[in-house]
Amino acid sequence: MSKTEERDLRDAGAQLSTAPTENPADQAIGGPTLSVVGWVRWFWRQLTSMRVALILLFMLSLGAIPGSLVPQNSVDELKVEAFKKQHDLLTPVYEKLQFFDVYSSVWFSAIYILLFVSLIGCIVPRSWQFVGQLRSRPPGAPKRLTRLPAYTTWRTETDPEQVRGAALAILKKRRFRADAAGDAVAAEKGYLREAGNLVFHVSLIVMLVAFATGTLFKSEGGKLIVEGDGFSNTLIQYDDFKSGSLFDTDELVPFSFSLDSFTGTYAKDGPQRGTPRTYEAAVTWSKGDGPARKSVIEVNKPLEVDGTKVYLLSHGYAPVVTVRDGKGKVVSSGAVPLLPIDSNVTSTGAIKVMDGYRDKHGKKDQLGFQAFFVPTFAGAGHGDMFSQFPGLEFPVLALTGYHGSLGVDAGLPQNVYQLDTRKMEQFKDADGEILKQRLRPGETMKLPDGAGSITFENEVKEWASFQISQQPGNGWALAGAIAAITGLIGSLFIQRRRIWVRAVRGADGVTVVEMAGLGRAESAKLPEELAELAVTLNAQAPTAPEPVEVPAEGAEK
C-alpha cells in the first residue's frame, strides 16, 4: 500500500472517537527537552487522560473498602471505641491511616478531588471536539474503497447522478448524516456512542458533586422511642446526631411524631421460624402547627417530611417495672428499653434509680439493676436463659441488684444501657449469695434488709429505633447513576460507522457502483448493514446484464 493510500485510509477513519490526540512533544518525559511549562502540560495531559481517570475511580473504590469494613466515627462512635478496645495492635495503625474516618481522610479527599479534576479536564475538550464533528461534514471517500473491511460493487445502466441521488436519499432515510461530494456520497452514523460516552462521564461528575453536597450539608440522627412516647425534630431530642460541616441546625425541618404502636409478627414453624413477616410502626405526625396525620413506617418505606426521611431501623422490648423503697413508696416506674443481642430478641440493659430512693435508715442512695430479658423462655432446666422465639410468648426478666453510686454525679456522659458498678455493691441474700432472680409478669423481687422491691408489671411495651436523615444530594446522585448507566449502555452497544457510495461511468459507458464501510471496531454488523443498503440501492439501480462476447471473425463457432 502506498503512502497516499495509507493517508486516505487514516483520514477516512479519523475522529471516529472523541478521545484527545496525543502530542509527541508531550510524551517526551526524559531528557532536557521539557521546560517547566512542558512538564506542567505533560502532567495535565496525564491527569486528564481516560486511563488516569479509570485508575483514580478504581482507587476510590478500593479506598471505600476500609470505610465499609472498619467502624466509622461518623456512623457509630461506640462501635469505634469497642473496636479499639478489642484490637490493641491494629488501632494505632488504623489511626495513622485514618481508617476510622475514611471519607473525611486526607488521602480519600485527595483521590476524590483528583478524580473530579480529571473528569472535567477530560470531558471539556472532548465535548468541544464532539460538537465540531456534529457540525462538520462526513470525510470524503478514499480513492480505493477496496481497502476497507466491508466492500461490495456492481455495474448498472443507471446514470451515476441518479445512483448517487438514490444513495443519498436511502442513507438519510436510515438516519445517516450524508453528504454528496464529487463522485461519491459520504455518510456517518452512531454519534450516540460518543454522546453516551460523554453522558457517562458527565454523570460521574454529577454523582461526585451530589455525594460531596450530601456529605457537607447532610444531617443524620437516631432516636429510640417506646410505644406512647414521641419525638420532636430538635437537636436536644436526638439520642445521637451527626451532620456535615456546612449544615446549620436552623435547617432542621419542624415536625414531630409519636409512636402509637409497633407490630411485629414472625413465622412460627418451618425452616424460617422466627423470620419477620410484619415489621411496621404506626405513627401520628404533624408538621409545625399543622394537623395531625396517621402513617405507617416500614423497613425501606420511610416517612418523608419536606426532604427529611424517617427510617425504621430496629425494634425491641421495654418491660414495665416499678421500684419501691423500704416503706413501699414508688421511687421509679415505667418502661425500660432493653437492647437485643440476637435474632430472637434476647435483650440486656440496665435499670437505674438515681433520685428519690432512701435506704432503711433514711439515707439517700442509688439503685442499679442489670436486666436480662427473653420474650420466649424455654423454661427452667432447658439450657441457658436465651429466647427461643422473637415473639412475646413467655416473657421472663432476670435481675441482679446493686446499690451505691451510679457515677452520674461526675458530670461525664454515660451509656444508659450499661451499669457502672465500680462504686456499687451487690445485694446479697440471707445466705450471703448474690441476689438474682427471674421474674414473670406480675412477680416481685424483694431486696434484703428492707431495702425495698422491684416489680415486673403485667405489661411489656415495644420500642422502635428510627433514623432521621436529611441528605440533599440523594436525588441528584440517583439521577446521575441512572444517566451513567444509560450512557454506558449507549457507548458499549452503539457502533460508530461510516459508509461511502461511489458511482462513476466506466470506459464502456456502464456505471460502476462501489460501496464500502468502516467502523471504529471490527463488527459483524457492519458488513450486514452494508449488504442491506446495497440490496436497497440495487433495487433502484439494478445490476446490468453481462455483455455478450461476439466471436472474432474466422473463429470457430
Side-chain angles (χ1 to χ4, degrees):
M1 184 186 299
S2 66
K3 292 183 177 180
T4 303
E5 292 175 349
E6 290 180 358
R7 185 171 60 253
D8 286 343
L9 289 178
R10 184 172 61 251
D11 294 341
Q15 295 184 345
L16 275 174
S17 169
T18 56
T21 57
E22 295 289 343
N23 186 352
D26 293 337
Q27 296 178 356
I29 62 173
T33 58
L34 289 181
S35 62
V36 175
V37 176
W39 278 106
V40 172
R41 290 179 61 190
W42 175 84
F43 177 78
W44 176 253
R45 263 204 185 272
Q46 301 305 311
L47 179 61
T48 57
S49 66
M50 190 55 60
R51 177 179 62 256
V52 172
L54 292 175
I55 292 174
L56 290 172
L57 188 60
F58 179 68
M59 292 176 62
L60 196 70
S61 302
L62 291 180
I65 293 177
S68 302
L69 300 179
V70 180
Q72 299 294 295
N73 283 317
S74 60
V75 178
D76 194 331
E77 292 183 353
L78 294 178
K79 285 187 177 180
V80 173
E81 293 300 324
F83 183 91
K84 290 181 178 180
K85 291 179 181 179
Q86 296 174 3
H87 302 85
D88 296 333
L89 296 178
L90 288 177
T91 295
V93 178
Y94 282 8
E95 286 180 340
K96 289 182 179 180
L97 295 175
Q98 297 179 297
F99 276 5
F100 297 115
D101 299 279
V102 168
Y103 303 110
S104 59
S105 63
V106 174
W107 56 269
F108 191 87
S109 300
I111 298 173
Y112 194 93
I113 294 172
L114 285 174
L115 177 60
F116 189 80
V117 174
S118 177
L119 288 173
I120 293 178
C122 178
I123 289 171
V124 171
R126 293 185 71 164
S127 299
W128 284 115
Q129 186 176 349
F130 182 59
V131 171
Q133 291 182 19
L134 291 176
R135 297 177 62 183
S136 64
R137 295 181 178 182
K143 291 183 178 180
R144 299 188 63 178
L145 295 178
T146 54
R147 298 290 187 180
L148 298 180
Y151 175 80
T152 185
T153 183
W154 72 92
R155 291 157 49 89
T156 180
E157 295 179 348
T158 308
D159 292 336
E161 293 78 7
Q162 294 179 353
V163 174
R164 291 192 291 268
L168 185 64
I170 291 172
L171 290 170
K172 287 185 175 181
K173 187 176 181 181
R174 298 293 182 93
R175 297 190 301 276
F176 278 84
R177 190 167 63 93
D179 180 66
D183 60 359
V185 174
E188 193 169 18
K189 193 176 184 181
Y191 285 96
L192 287 179
R193 178 188 182 94
E194 296 304 326
N197 195 9
L198 292 174
V199 167
F200 172 74
H201 292 93
V202 171
S203 299
L204 290 182
I205 294 179
V206 172
M207 292 172 64
L208 290 175
V209 172
F211 290 145
T213 302
T215 302
L216 294 173
F217 294 94
K218 75 173 182 179
S219 69
E220 188 175 270
K223 180 65 177 179
L224 186 149
I225 304 176
V226 180
E227 289 176 326
D229 292 341
F231 166 81
S232 180
N233 194 27
T234 57
L235 193 59
I236 60 174
Q237 287 277 303
Y238 285 91
D239 293 333
D240 58 85
F241 184 83
K242 300 289 183 182
S243 64
S245 57
L246 299 181
F247 179 80
D248 187 353
T249 54
D250 292 337
E251 297 176 5
L252 289 173
V253 178
F255 75 95
S256 61
F257 70 93
S258 60
L259 178 61
D260 299 331
S261 64
F262 180 89
T263 303
T265 60
Y266 310 89
K268 293 191 174 183
D269 49 29
Q272 294 187 337
R273 172 179 165 81
T275 303
R277 297 302 187 201
T278 304
Y279 210 70
E280 58 187 31
V283 299
T284 301
W285 66 277
S286 62
K287 177 187 173 184
D289 297 330
R293 307 176 187 178
K294 298 283 187 179
S295 293
V296 175
I297 304 176
E298 302 179 44
V299 177
N300 296 326
K301 294 183 179 180
L303 169 67
E304 184 170 359
V305 183
D306 285 355
T308 298
K309 294 183 178 181
V310 181
Y311 294 91
L312 174 62
L313 294 184
S314 58
H315 144 266
Y317 293 103
V320 178
V321 298
T322 300
V323 180
R324 296 178 173 85
D325 60 13
K327 296 182 179 180
K329 178 184 176 182
V330 176
V331 294
S332 176
S333 181
V336 180
L338 304 177
L339 300 181
I341 59 174
D342 60 23
S343 59
N344 286 327
V345 203
T346 302
S347 307
T348 63
I351 302 172
K352 302 179 183 181
V353 180
M354 294 175 284
D355 300 311
Y357 174 79
R358 296 178 182 271
D359 62 15
K360 63 179 180 179
H361 302 293
K363 183 180 178 181
K364 289 184 178 181
D365 202 359
Q366 293 179 334
L367 299 180
F369 299 89
Q370 287 183 337
F372 197 86
F373 176 78
V374 290
T376 303
F377 183 43
H382 292 79
D384 295 332
M385 186 177 168
F386 282 90
S387 179
Q388 308 300 307
F389 186 74
L392 200 65
E393 297 190 350
F394 194 81
V396 173
L397 178 65
L399 298 173
T400 303
Y402 296 80
H403 67 97
S405 174
L406 290 169
V408 295
D409 298 331
L412 298 176
Q414 193 177 86
N415 192 332
V416 296
Y417 304 104
Q418 295 179 353
L419 192 63
D420 185 357
T421 60
R422 290 177 296 180
K423 296 182 180 181
M424 303 193 78
E425 182 181 350
Q426 278 188 301
F427 285 109
K428 296 183 178 180
D429 59 19
D431 299 327
E433 300 293 333
I434 295 175
L435 180 65
K436 54 184 178 180
Q437 187 174 338
R438 294 174 179 171
L439 303 179
R440 290 277 292 137
E443 296 181 347
T444 300
M445 181 175 77
K446 296 288 186 179
L447 302 179
D449 298 329
S453 66
I454 179 169
T455 301
F456 179 17
E457 303 292 350
N458 288 306
E459 183 180 9
V460 178
K461 292 187 176 182
E462 300 191 46
W463 59 260
S465 178
F466 299 92
Q467 181 187 71
I468 298 91
S469 176
Q470 184 175 342
Q471 294 181 322
N474 282 357
W476 283 102
L478 178 61
I482 295 174
I485 294 174
T486 304
L488 184 61
I489 291 174
S491 65
L492 291 177
F493 295 102
I494 298 176
Q495 184 185 14
R496 183 85 174 269
R497 65 271 194 199
R498 288 170 179 163
I499 300 291
W500 292 275
V501 181
R502 175 174 287 144
V504 295
R505 194 175 299 277
D508 56 355
V510 179
T511 302
V512 178
V513 181
E514 291 182 293
M515 294 185 67
L518 179 65
R520 182 179 175 182
E522 293 293 334
S523 173
K525 292 183 178 180
L526 180 61
E528 292 176 2
E529 185 174 28
L530 184 69
E532 185 180 350
L533 289 170
V535 170
T536 305
L537 181 58
N538 185 260
Q540 299 187 36
T543 304
E546 292 295 328
V548 178
E549 294 186 3
V550 179
E553 185 176 350
E556 294 183 0
K557 297 183 180 180

